[in-house]
Amino acid sequence: MQTIKNRIAEQLYQGVQSINPASELTKEDLVGMLEYPPDTTMGDLALPCFRLSKTLRRSPVQIAASLAEGLKDDCIEKAEALNGYLNITVSKDYLGSVVVPEILEKGDRYGAQSFGDGKMVVLDYSSPNVAKPFHIGHLGTTVIGHSLRKLHEFAGYRCYGINYLGDWGTQFGKLIVAYRLWGSREAVEQEGIDKLVELYVRINNAIKGDEEKGIAPNAELADKAREEFHKLELGDEENLELWKWFVSISLKEYERTYAQLGIAFDSYKGESFYTDKMPAQVEKLRDAGLLKIDDGASIVDLSEYDMPPCLILKRDGSTLYPTRDIAAAVYRKETYKFDKAIYVTSAQQCLHFAQWFKVVELMGYPWYDQLVHVPYGTVSLNGAKLATRTGNVVLLKDLFALAIEKAAAIMDEKNPGLENRDEIAEAVGVGAIVFHYLSNTRMKDINFVMEDALSFDGNTGPYVQYTYARACSVLSRAQDVNAASVTVTTEEEATLVKTLCRFGERVTAAIEDYEPSYITRFILEVAAAFNRFYHNCSILGAEDEQVRASRIALTQATKHVLGNAFDLICLRKTEKI
Ligand code: ARG
């Protein structure tokens, strides 16, 4: 629609100039004013003329009438003035002879943008904490982050995906102590991350004690854990060995989940990588006079900006989460020369990011405004907060396994003997979860209900994947696709093409608002329009050869657009289900 809007704006611009040659309205302004009317019987695009009244010094009714008069373009079927609105209907001829061939010609590049050309984006997402369970709370950062990466790539940006593993900190002291007390090499090798989590939970419970059960807190264990972490920091060989092993075991498991999602990272440089890069930044903060000592700790006072202080060093001189983030940002700027650095985390970390972004600004780094925090709503499970200690979590691997199992069972029933059954079951099962998650706008708090996430009915991942497979099946039965002369005659065909050609705008909007759910919603609109077309217009059975060829071309165009959109939200393309 962007091209159509531009063409129309060009004409409108002439109209505006002839009403008032001194008007400062630009073509871009006019593009921005064109709206999609909620009721498409009025037209495909509308210009609310009251917004021009002031500059043009005429009534909206007069403006609409005069602009309608002058509008003439191949892409316009009808332009009507009504109650101060200019309603425009796009011509079916144009949809068939220009829009569909353009989609077919661009194929898997249809919808791609170029505003990111020559620019670099680094994205920090997923980033789980090693030895803590990888659960549904991490779904958001993982799939929103990856989708933003795909979207940026589609707009021309070079992207670098970073998994900033939580691989450093006192939790490793705890894990080392717990492992030596209660663990064994065999058990960890066999049970992997589950064993590590179990050990971690056990030592935390022991340290905290349990009032109800009359178990006193164990301060000695806490001291021991701190001591082991300190030894690790000093480079104690045995502890380093254990630490590396714990990290690699966790990583192996995360990678299994990432593979199911089709996600790969460019870098796994976690928190530990920045240990030796923090002192320089602390020094810089001190030199700039930004550090204040507060009760022995070093902080940056942010009261002037209505924020609590940003903690840089604890009383014992050890560094903190913000300190590491500052050092990591400086390193990334120097190393990757980003034009934008995106961080995707739960909204609970909003203050943390606002604080250290401000500190980076105060330090005088000119790129502070290239840092972008993309938060998302919190996830609860069956109405309750996620909590590892009470077991109120669902691990991603378990969730995916359940979904895949369900998909396989349905397929065995409906389509027994399907080739590549396991692969498709994985695509559909995982797709159901991803689509379910990305159906919500990013900031919405989500109450995760297993049955809903695993639902395959209604507006779900399996439904849109099935629609895609349906288009593929039509195409495999058609001999060839001929884009030379496509005619659009029915309303169903016209609506489908008009839906398809809004893709590019949705991509742009999704990037501007960091909102993958725009793509999810778009996919549902395309699926609905295609299914209406499929049911009401005979494709392969069309008697007229021209109509048949046109409808096949339209099916091919739908396949391209759906496929491109699937790629943007980590949904796998399923040729057969
Ligand atoms: N590991 C952190 C967590 O699980 C998320 C890290 C986000 N990225 C960052 N640069 N702080 O909460």
Side-chain angles (χ1 to χ4, degrees):
M1 253 335 173
Q2 200 61 46
T3 326
I4 296 177
K5 279 188 181 174
N6 287 337
R7 286 177 74 131
I8 292 174
E10 181 83 33
Q11 301 266 314
L12 291 175
Y13 181 72
Q14 306 301 334
V16 164
Q17 286 290 311
S18 67
I19 298 174
N20 177 6
S23 152
E24 287 181 358
L25 273 173
T26 64
K27 284 172 210 162
E28 288 71 36
D29 294 335
L30 289 160
V31 170
M33 284 180 198
L34 285 169
E35 294 175 351
Y36 293 107
D39 174 6
T40 50
T41 56
M42 311 281 272
D44 302 313
L45 290 167
L47 183 76
C49 296
F50 62 88
R51 296 179 59 187
L52 301 172
S53 257
K54 214 167 147 204
T55 16
L56 298 183
R57 282 185 242 109
R58 300 243 183 121
S59 76
V61 173
Q62 284 171 324
I63 297 171
S66 141
L67 290 178
E69 184 91 354
L71 260 192
K72 273 185 194 50
D73 189 274
D74 288 350
C75 72
I76 298 171
E77 188 166 288
K78 189 168 80 180
E80 279 177 335
L82 185 71
N83 302 332
Y85 275 81
L86 173 61
N87 295 325
I88 300 160
T89 305
V90 176
S91 112
K92 288 197 177 76
D93 257 359
Y94 184 85
L95 294 175
S97 62
V98 179
V99 179
V100 178
E102 186 195 342
I103 299 175
L104 296 179
E105 195 208 321
K106 294 198 173 148
D108 60 10
R109 295 292 301 154
Y110 184 74
Q113 308 292 312
S114 56
F115 56 82
D117 281 355
K119 297 201 187 103
M120 172 76 180
V121 180
V122 301
L123 300 103
D124 173 321
Y125 62 101
S126 201
S127 311
N129 292 329
V130 172
K132 293 195 189 163
F134 194 34
H135 56 65
I136 50 171
H138 300 106
L139 198 53
T141 169
T142 308
V143 296
I144 293 171
H146 197 66
S147 178
L148 291 178
R149 171 187 186 142
K150 292 293 207 166
L151 280 160
H152 279 83
E153 278 173 349
F154 206 47
Y157 290 93
R158 265 188 314 123
C159 292
Y160 197 79
I162 300 175
N163 194 323
Y164 182 62
L165 283 181
D167 62 358
W168 203 241
T170 39
Q171 79 254 35
F172 287 95
K174 289 183 186 168
L175 203 54
I176 290 171
V177 174
Y179 171 75
R180 289 197 181 124
L181 279 175
W182 309 302
S184 72
R185 187 157 275 276
E186 299 74 57
V188 174
E189 246 149 33
Q190 247 170 36
E191 295 168 53
I193 197 168
D194 293 347
K195 188 76 203 172
L196 296 183
V197 171
E198 182 196 312
L199 289 170
Y200 184 68
V201 170
R202 183 166 172 185
I203 188 158
N204 271 314
N205 287 339
I207 287 173
K208 284 196 189 117
D210 191 329
E211 226 173 295
E212 273 169 35
K213 291 188 188 143
I215 303 171
N218 189 335
E220 217 173 289
L221 265 186
D223 288 341
K224 183 85 187 112
R226 233 168 292 152
E227 195 182 304
E228 291 304 331
F229 178 60
H230 191 60
K231 271 166 71 185
L232 179 63
E233 280 187 304
L234 295 178
D236 176 87
E237 236 165 79
E238 218 176 297
N239 282 7
L240 263 179
E241 253 342 282
L242 274 181
W243 167 74
K244 271 190 208 146
W245 184 48
F246 295 154
V247 172
S248 80
I249 281 185
S250 308
L251 202 54
K252 219 184 282 159
E253 177 146 329
Y254 301 147
E255 284 186 320
R256 225 172 288 140
T257 303
Y258 294 139
Q260 288 180 315
L261 285 163
I263 295 180
F265 289 91
D266 297 299
S267 157
Y268 276 101
K269 285 197 171 72
E271 296 192 27
S272 64
F273 178 77
Y274 297 98
T275 311
D276 63 355
K277 296 173 181 59
M278 284 181 281
Q281 299 311 314
V282 174
E283 219 31 55
K284 191 168 156 90
L285 278 162
R286 197 170 283 130
D287 290 349
L290 289 164
L291 282 191
K292 267 196 188 158
I293 305 298
D294 182 52
D295 196 19
S298 301
I299 61 162
V300 178
D301 180 15
L302 297 174
S303 53
E304 210 179 302
Y305 311 98
D306 284 331
M307 284 188 276
C310 184
L311 300 175
I312 302 293
L313 295 176
K314 283 197 233 171
R315 281 170 71 153
D316 63 5
S318 58
T319 53
L320 286 131
Y321 189 41
T323 328
R324 236 182 298 275
D325 257 325
I326 293 167
V330 173
Y331 173 86
R332 291 172 187 174
K333 181 69 192 179
E334 281 167 4
T335 313
Y336 312 117
K337 318 226 170 344
F338 60 72
D339 296 283
K340 186 154 85 163
I342 294 172
Y343 299 81
V344 186
T345 78
S346 138
Q348 284 155 339
Q349 297 196 29
C350 280
L351 178 62
H352 161 74
F353 282 94
Q355 284 176 311
W356 77 259
F357 285 2
K358 183 50 94 180
V359 172
V360 167
E361 180 183 348
L362 295 174
M363 289 170 88
Y365 287 114
W367 41 267
Y368 71 91
D369 57 352
Q370 296 175 338
L371 304 172
V372 184
H373 179 222
V374 178
Y376 58 87
T378 46
V379 181
S380 50
L381 181 59
N382 301 321
K385 217 176 148 221
L386 296 178
T388 321
R389 251 160 65 95
T390 58
N392 195 41
V393 288
V394 175
L395 299 184
L396 280 184
K397 64 170 181 186
D398 295 342
L399 179 64
F400 286 178
L402 274 175
I404 294 167
E405 203 178 299
K406 176 169 175 183
I410 295 178
M411 277 162 31
D412 287 347
E413 189 191 309
K414 297 210 168 142
N415 195 354
L418 182 67
E419 242 179 277
N420 306 330
R421 167 194 181 267
D422 293 351
E423 197 186 314
I424 298 170
E426 184 179 285
V428 175
V430 173
I433 308 274
V434 170
F435 198 88
H436 173 71
Y437 193 90
L438 291 180
S439 294
N440 297 297
T441 46
R442 169 162 72 70
M443 279 307 280
K444 194 172 166 238
D445 289 331
I446 294 182
N447 178 25
F448 201 88
V449 177
M450 200 60 142
E451 291 82 73
D452 296 348
L454 293 181
S455 165
F456 287 14
D457 303 323
N459 290 333
T460 60
Y463 156 68
V464 298
Q465 282 174 318
Y466 183 74
T467 304
Y468 181 83
R470 171 175 273 169
C472 293
S473 152
V474 170
L475 292 168
S476 71
R477 282 177 287 139
Q479 269 78 35
D480 50 86
V481 181
N482 181 358
S485 72
V486 179
T487 47
V488 167
T489 46
T490 65
E491 274 321 304
E492 285 88 351
E493 293 165 321
T495 303
L496 175 57
V497 183
K498 283 184 263 185
T499 308
L500 296 178
C501 75
R502 284 170 74 169
F503 185 37
E505 279 169 61
R506 296 297 181 89
V507 169
T508 303
I511 294 173
E512 272 169 6
D513 294 348
Y514 301 98
E515 193 62 87
S517 66
Y518 292 176
I519 303 299
T520 319
R521 215 170 312 146
F522 173 74
I523 290 173
L524 287 173
E525 287 165 20
V526 173
F530 177 74
N531 284 321
R532 224 173 297 124
F533 157 73
Y534 178 87
H535 288 300
N536 296 339
C537 308
S538 174
I539 305 174
L540 297 174
E543 305 213 329
D544 184 297
E545 198 38 52
Q546 167 67 25
V547 172
R548 184 175 184 274
S550 296
R551 290 183 179 165
I552 292 171
L554 206 47
T555 305
Q556 174 74 44
T558 306
K559 179 187 163 182
H560 280 312
V561 175
L562 273 184
N564 295 356
F566 283 13
D567 283 342
L568 296 177
I569 57 161
C570 321
L571 193 64
R572 263 187 267 168
K573 291 177 282 205
T574 42
E575 302 256 331
K576 280 192 184 135
I577 286 196

